[in-house]
Amino acid sequence: MHSRRLGLVDRQSHDLRDDELLRTLGYKPVLTRRMGPFGNFAISFSVISVLSGCMTLYGFGLNTGGPAVMMWGWIAVGIMVMFVGASLAEVTSAYPTSGALYYMADQLGSKKWGWYTGWLNLLGLLGAIAGIDYGAAQFTGAFANLQWGFQPTPSKTMVIYLCILLLHGLLNLFGVRLVSILNSVSVWWHILGVAVIVGVLWVVPSHHQSASFVFGKFVNDTGWNAHWYVILIGLLLAQYTFSGYDASAHLSEETTGAQINAARGIVRAIAWSWLAGGVLLAGLTFAIQDYAGTQNSDTGVPPAQIFLDALGTGGAKALLLIVIVAQLFCGSAEVAACSRMVFAFSRDGALPGSRWWRQVSDRTRTPVRAVWLSVVVAGVLAAPSLYSPTAYGAVTAINVIGITPAYAIPIYLRLRNRRTFRPGPWSLGSWGPLAGWIAVLWVAFVTVLFLLPQSYPVTAETFNYAPVALAAVLLLATIWWQVAGRRSYETPTYGSARETAELEEEIV
C-alpha cells in the first residue's frame, strides 16, 4: 500500500510538472494525463502497424521490384526513417503539445509555417484513418469470402468500412485510459501476431523459397523499362508503412513525463516496427508457393493467397483474423491521434466552427466532437471508392503526401533556428544538426517519389493521384487562410498562459 501511494504521488508530481510546462507553452491543461511511457510508445507502434501497412501494400511490392526491393528497401528506408523520427522526437521534447507538428512549426517559424504544416498534417491523418480502415474492410471482405462465400462488392465493402469507422468512433469516447489499454494490448497482438504468422509459415509448408529468391529476386511488372526507377518506386511500400509515429506527440498532453516519454515513444515505435516488419516481410516471401498466382489472387489480397497456398483454407482464415484484428487496433489508434490534432487545431482557431470542435467532455475529458468529425470526414474521403477502383490509391496519397512533408518542416525550422532553439531533456546533442539535415533531405526525396507515376502506360486506372492530393491540400489551406485563417488562427506565444475566462467556458 505504501509503495502504491508513493507511485501515485510520483505520478501526480509528474502531472504537475507537465501541466506547468504546458501553461508555459501557452495552453490551459484540459485533457487527463493517464497515459504512461508504454502507452505513448504503443499508440505510435499501433499506428505504424506492420500488420496493416506491409500487408496492404504487399501486392504493390510484388509488382514493383519484387522480393529484393521489398527486403532491402525495408532495411534502407528504416534507417532513414530513424533519422526523421529521432529529429522529430528532439523537437517534440521541447514542444510537447497535442498540436505537435504545426505548433512546433509555428513557434520555430511563423504563423504561416504553422498553418500549412497543420493542414498537411490534419489531412494526412484523416487520409490515414480512411486508408487503414478501408484496408481493414477489404481484408474483412476477403475473410468473409473464405468463410461464407461472401462477394465483397464495392458497396458491401463500403458498408463494412462504415461499421469499422463507427466502432472506432465509439471506442474513442471513453477516455484516454481505454485508448491506452487498447494500444498496450495492440503492441502484444502485433508482436505475437507476427511471430505466429512467420512461425506457422515456416513450419507448415513443405516448400520454401531460397534466400537468393527472397533477397535477390527482382520483378518489374510496372511497364517501365528503367530498373533504377522501379527500385525507387518500390521503396514506397516501406515508406508508407513507416508513417503515423507523430501520434506519440499528439497524445503528449495526456502523457506523464511528456518531454521524455513522447520523444522516446516515437523512436522506440520506429525501431520495434522496423524489426517486426522485416521479420514479417521475410516470412511472407519465403512462403510464396506461386508468384503469379499470388499477384493475381482471386481474394484481391495477395497475403491471403500466400496463406491459402501454404496452409489451406482453415489456416488462411486463422491468420487473416490475426491481421484484421491488428488493423482494427491500428485504425482506433489513428482516430485517437487525429482527434487530438482536430482538438488542438480548433483550439487555435484554424478550423471552420473551431468553437464547436475544440470542446472537451467534462466527464471523460475527451474531445468527443473532434472524434466524430475525424470519423465522418474519413468516411467521406473513401466514398469515391464506390465508383472508382483507383479511389483507394487517392486516399492513400492524401495520407502520405500530407504527413510526410509535415514531418520535415519543424525539423528544418529547428535547423534554421539552431542558435535560438532550446532543446528539451531528450536531445540528440551535437548530432542533432547532422541527423536533422539527413532527415530533411530524405523527406524531400521521398516526397518527389510519391509524386511520380508508378505504372506505365499512364491511364485513368494507373494514374498517381498524389500530385492532385497535394495540390488540393495546399489550395484548400490557401483559400481558408484568405477567407478566415489569417484572422482567426492564433497560437499563444511561449510563456503566456492562455487561461482566459472565455476559453475556460468554451473548452468544457
Side-chain angles (χ1 to χ4, degrees):
M1 180 67 75
H2 180 64
S3 62
R4 191 176 298 174
R5 282 201 300 269
L6 285 177
L8 179 61
V9 170
D10 183 62
R11 195 182 76 187
Q12 288 174 337
S13 64
H14 265 301
D15 290 353
L16 289 173
R17 290 196 296 270
D18 290 328
D19 289 346
E20 185 56 38
L21 172 64
L22 189 59
R23 289 187 177 93
T24 301
L25 294 174
Y27 293 111
K28 174 181 172 61
V30 296
L31 303 175
T32 304
R33 291 190 187 273
R34 297 292 300 277
M35 184 173 282
F38 186 80
N40 186 276
F41 147 76
I43 191 165
S44 280
F45 184 81
S46 297
V47 171
I48 293 173
S49 182
V50 295
L51 285 173
S52 179
C54 291
M55 290 292 193
T56 301
L57 285 185
Y58 190 78
F60 173 86
L62 291 176
N63 296 325
T64 314
V69 174
M70 279 196 283
M71 295 308 304
W72 293 110
W74 182 266
I75 294 171
V77 171
I79 293 171
M80 302 310 295
V81 170
M82 187 60 75
F83 281 106
V84 180
S87 299
L88 186 62
E90 183 178 50
V91 188
T92 297
S93 182
Y95 302 105
T97 71
S98 295
L101 308 181
Y102 87 84
Y103 180 82
M104 302 171 196
D106 188 290
Q107 297 298 306
L108 293 170
S110 65
K111 192 173 174 179
K112 267 197 170 183
W113 277 110
W115 175 264
Y116 281 99
T117 302
W119 276 101
L120 285 170
N121 190 197
L122 177 58
L123 290 181
L125 288 168
L126 290 167
I129 296 174
I132 293 164
D133 281 0
Y134 196 84
Q138 290 178 321
F139 271 74
T140 302
F143 173 83
N145 176 261
L146 294 177
Q147 180 67 29
W148 301 291
F150 174 85
Q151 293 301 317
T153 62
S155 59
K156 291 177 181 177
T157 301
M158 180 59 65
V159 171
I160 298 172
Y161 169 66
L162 294 176
C163 289
I164 292 173
L165 280 178
L166 178 61
L167 172 65
H168 287 159
L170 293 172
L171 288 174
N172 276 275
L173 299 183
F174 296 101
V176 74
R177 180 63 178 165
L178 177 59
V179 172
S180 183
I181 291 172
L182 288 174
N183 289 317
S184 297
V185 174
S186 172
V187 170
W188 297 112
W189 185 274
H190 275 79
I191 292 174
L192 294 175
V194 169
V196 169
I197 290 171
V198 173
V200 170
L201 290 177
W202 182 256
V203 172
V204 176
S206 58
H207 169 74
H208 291 90
Q209 299 291 343
S210 65
S212 61
F213 174 90
V214 173
F215 292 96
K217 175 72 172 177
F218 179 82
V219 177
N220 178 13
D221 289 333
T222 64
W224 296 103
N225 292 323
H227 286 183
W228 64 267
Y229 183 83
V230 176
I231 291 171
L232 293 179
I233 296 299
L235 299 178
L236 298 185
L237 179 152
Q239 187 63 47
Y240 168 76
T241 304
F242 280 117
S243 64
Y245 44 84
D246 56 314
S248 289
H250 289 297
L251 272 291
S252 59
E253 289 185 31
E254 294 156 273
T255 301
T256 58
Q259 285 189 286
I260 293 177
N261 291 330
R264 285 179 178 169
I266 292 172
V267 175
R268 288 174 176 173
I270 294 171
W272 280 102
S273 297
W274 188 25
L275 175 61
V279 172
L280 177 63
L281 287 173
L284 284 170
T285 310
F286 271 112
I288 292 176
Q289 307 296 305
D290 178 0
Y291 200 94
T294 300
Q295 287 177 295
N296 304 300
S297 173
D298 291 336
T299 67
V301 179
Q305 192 63 47
I306 294 176
F307 298 160
L308 277 170
D309 292 343
L311 310 173
T313 304
K317 288 189 289 187
L319 296 192
L320 271 178
L321 277 178
I322 293 175
V323 175
I324 290 167
V325 173
Q327 291 174 332
L328 294 177
F329 277 127
C330 176
S332 179
E334 189 64 57
V335 170
C338 185
S339 64
R340 271 53 177 187
M341 173 61 192
V342 171
F343 159 75
F345 219 26
S346 299
R347 180 173 58 182
D348 291 326
L351 297 180
S354 286
R355 288 175 177 265
W356 175 269
W357 306 119
R358 71 191 183 193
Q359 294 189 22
V360 174
S361 166
D362 57 359
R363 183 174 62 86
T364 63
R365 313 310 299 169
T366 299
V368 173
R369 294 173 180 174
V371 169
W372 287 121
L373 179 64
S374 303
V375 167
V376 169
V377 174
V380 172
L381 284 177
S385 296
L386 284 168
Y387 312 103
S388 170
T390 61
Y392 181 68
V395 170
T396 304
I398 291 174
N399 171 16
V400 296
I401 207 64
I403 285 183
T404 307
Y407 289 156
I409 293 173
I411 298 172
Y412 165 73
L413 293 173
R414 172 255 186 272
L415 294 169
R416 199 179 71 170
N417 297 280
R418 56 185 299 183
R419 293 185 179 179
T420 57
F421 173 71
R422 290 183 286 182
W426 197 98
S427 172
L428 295 173
S430 59
W431 292 98
L434 175 61
W437 281 117
I438 292 173
V440 169
L441 292 174
W442 174 253
V443 170
F445 170 68
V446 296
T447 299
V448 173
L449 288 188
F450 282 136
L451 300 175
L452 298 176
Q454 297 165 3
S455 299
Y456 184 85
V458 179
T459 66
E461 295 296 317
T462 63
F463 183 71
N464 179 8
Y465 287 90
V468 178
L470 178 60
V473 170
L474 296 178
L475 179 62
L476 176 62
T478 301
I479 291 174
W480 188 246
W481 172 263
Q482 295 295 331
V483 171
R486 56 184 175 180
R487 295 182 297 275
S488 63
Y489 169 67
E490 190 69 50
T491 57
T493 56
Y494 189 93
S496 65
R498 195 160 47 158
E499 297 179 25
T500 64
E502 180 184 356
L503 193 65
E504 290 181 6
E505 290 176 2
E506 290 173 358
I507 307 181
V508 295

